[in-house]
């Protein structure tokens, strides 16, 4: 079983409009609802790949009940969310059908009380007992300590469970120091962590800060990875146009599925890059276009990078 942690779960709403224009009313052509937050997106992709997944994090209020109801309709995903007194946030993605661009509006999430954080930590320790790997994903809701992910990384390592961290800012900086097995930042998050805007160099710096392996998402330019086994760049053969929301979450799913299937690192990266691009071709986060994925997987260009001096 793979465990995904989404401390700041959400109800994701995706609106499609003919053209998004400021200061205008818009008639929405299509509305889609999905359980949201990075870890829930990861879980849906993993389930689609045939893996058993349990999701945990916080849920509360009317929005939280909608999220949990939607999760019951997701085959292969087990709901182990922890209830809180606040209300789960909403995120809104507005897709401009003319340009293909997406505009996002993200609420901050409920304030988490110290007793609720303690209850989550206890539940998390219990879930680790049945986990083969764990992904810690996304932002922290108000009230959760900034070092929360570092603590959860250490708990997973003590339990002997491989852990992947996908967050940003200070939670990322502290989490990397706790020595997760894999860190998956995007280019901006990696630059903020290391001070370097050259991704290949920055992945090496992030490893020196504590991460065992670092895989950075570079958008349409694919992935760059620094691992104990080597360094690679994985690039799709062409740019895929669509909604990029959730593309990084599909990278996480590809890396975790490859880890559990004991694939060599180059194969993990090819899978992750193909899934990411195929997610852009899907209308909503947490899903990928299967024909696009099957078409891209054998066409991902893998380049071996020189070892660090």
């Amino acid at each position: 079983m793979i465990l995904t942690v989404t401390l700041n779960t959400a109800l994701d709403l995706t609106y499609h409009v003919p053209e998004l224009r400021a200061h205008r009313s818009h008639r929405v052509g299509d509305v889609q609802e999905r359980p949201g937050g990075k870890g829930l997106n990861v879980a849906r992709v993993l389930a689609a790949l045939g893996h058993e997944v349990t999701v945990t994090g916080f849920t509360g209020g009317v929005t939280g009940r909608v999220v949990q109801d939607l999760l019951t309709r997701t085959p292969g995903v087990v709901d182990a969310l922890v209830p809180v007194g606040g209300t789960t946030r909403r995120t809104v993605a507005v897709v401009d059908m003319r340009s293909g661009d997406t505009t996002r509006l993200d609420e901050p999430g409920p304030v988490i009380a110290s007793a609720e954080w303690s209850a989550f930590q206890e539940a998390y320790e219990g879930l680790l007992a049945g986990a083969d790997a764990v992904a810690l994903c996304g932002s922290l809701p108000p009230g959760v300590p900034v070092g929360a992910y570092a603590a959860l990384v250490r708990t997973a390592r003590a339990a002997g469970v491989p852990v992947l961290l996908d967050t940003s800012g200070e939670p990322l900086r502290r989490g990397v120091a706790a020595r997760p097995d894999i860190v998956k930042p995007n280019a901006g998050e990696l630059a903020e962590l290391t001070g370097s805007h050259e991704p290949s160099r920055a992945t090496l710096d992030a490893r020196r800060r504590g991460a065992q392996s670092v895989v950075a998402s570079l958008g349409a330019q694919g992935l760059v990875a620094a691992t104990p086994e080597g360094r690679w760049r994985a690039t799709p053969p062409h740019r895929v146009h669509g909604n990029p929301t959730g593309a990084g979450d599909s990278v996480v799913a590809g890396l975790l599925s490859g880890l559990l299937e004991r694939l060599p690192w180059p194969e993990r990266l090819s899978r992750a890059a193909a899934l990411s691009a195929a997610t852009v071709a899907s209308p909503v986060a947490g899903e990928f276009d299967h024909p696009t994925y099957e078409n891209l997987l054998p066409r991902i260009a893998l380049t071996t990078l020189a070892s660090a001096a």
Side-chain angles (χ1 to χ4, degrees):
M1 178 268 286
I2 300 175
L3 176 65
T4 72
V5 174
T6 312
L7 295 178
N8 213 3
T9 54
L11 176 63
D12 280 352
L13 302 171
T14 303
Y15 296 156
H16 290 81
V17 299
E19 182 179 2
L20 182 62
R21 302 179 67 183
H23 315 298
R24 300 289 183 92
S25 296
H26 295 77
R27 188 173 297 278
V28 178
D30 182 49
V31 180
Q32 294 165 322
E33 287 185 327
R34 293 292 187 278
K38 295 177 72 64
L40 296 189
N41 294 337
V42 171
R44 291 203 302 280
V45 174
L46 283 168
L49 292 171
H51 291 276
E52 295 181 358
V53 192
T54 295
V55 297
T56 191
F58 296 115
T59 183
V62 174
T63 311
R65 288 194 291 274
V66 174
V67 167
Q68 291 187 284
D69 180 60
L70 292 170
L71 281 174
T72 64
R73 308 176 205 172
T74 307
V77 176
V78 175
D79 174 5
L81 294 170
V82 176
V84 295
T87 299
T88 296
R89 67 186 178 131
R90 294 162 296 183
T91 66
V92 179
V94 183
V95 180
D96 184 322
M97 299 299 292
R98 180 184 62 83
S99 67
D101 292 337
T102 300
T103 300
R104 285 181 58 89
L105 303 171
D106 295 345
E107 296 178 358
V111 176
I112 305 300
S114 59
E116 292 169 336
W117 172 236
S118 296
F120 171 79
Q121 290 176 289
E122 183 177 348
Y124 173 73
E125 288 188 34
L127 290 166
L128 283 174
D132 299 305
V134 58
L136 308 174
C137 303
S139 62
L140 300 179
V144 172
V146 70
Y149 282 134
L152 298 181
V153 168
R154 288 192 290 268
T155 301
R157 288 178 55 81
V161 179
V163 55
L164 183 151
L165 177 63
D166 181 12
T167 189
S168 61
E170 185 64 13
L172 173 61
R173 189 185 70 81
R174 297 196 187 194
V176 166
R179 303 186 62 79
D181 294 88
I182 305 172
V183 172
K184 203 293 298 171
N186 62 32
E189 292 161 352
L190 184 62
E192 183 182 3
L193 173 67
T194 65
S196 172
H197 291 271
E198 203 294 299
S200 180
R201 181 182 305 165
T203 54
L204 291 173
D205 189 359
R207 284 201 69 213
R208 286 191 288 268
R209 291 167 185 260
Q212 294 185 34
S213 297
V214 180
V215 180
S217 299
L218 307 179
Q221 286 70 51
L223 309 172
V224 62
T227 80
E229 287 78 33
R231 301 171 62 225
W232 296 271
R233 189 169 192 133
T235 310
H238 57 80
R239 184 185 185 95
V240 176
H241 294 280
N243 180 7
T245 305
D249 305 329
S250 291
V251 172
V252 173
L255 295 175
L256 285 176
S257 64
L259 171 69
L260 262 63
E261 295 170 31
R262 302 182 184 277
L263 297 181
W265 265 106
E267 292 184 35
R268 298 186 206 181
L269 295 171
S270 292
R271 176 181 292 183
L275 280 171
S276 178
T279 298
V280 175
S282 176
V284 293
E287 298 180 4
F288 62 94
D289 184 78
H290 288 257
T292 300
Y293 171 64
E294 297 294 342
N295 176 266
L296 289 176
L297 183 59
R299 301 169 62 204
I300 298 295
L302 274 169
T303 304
T304 301
L305 303 178
S307 300

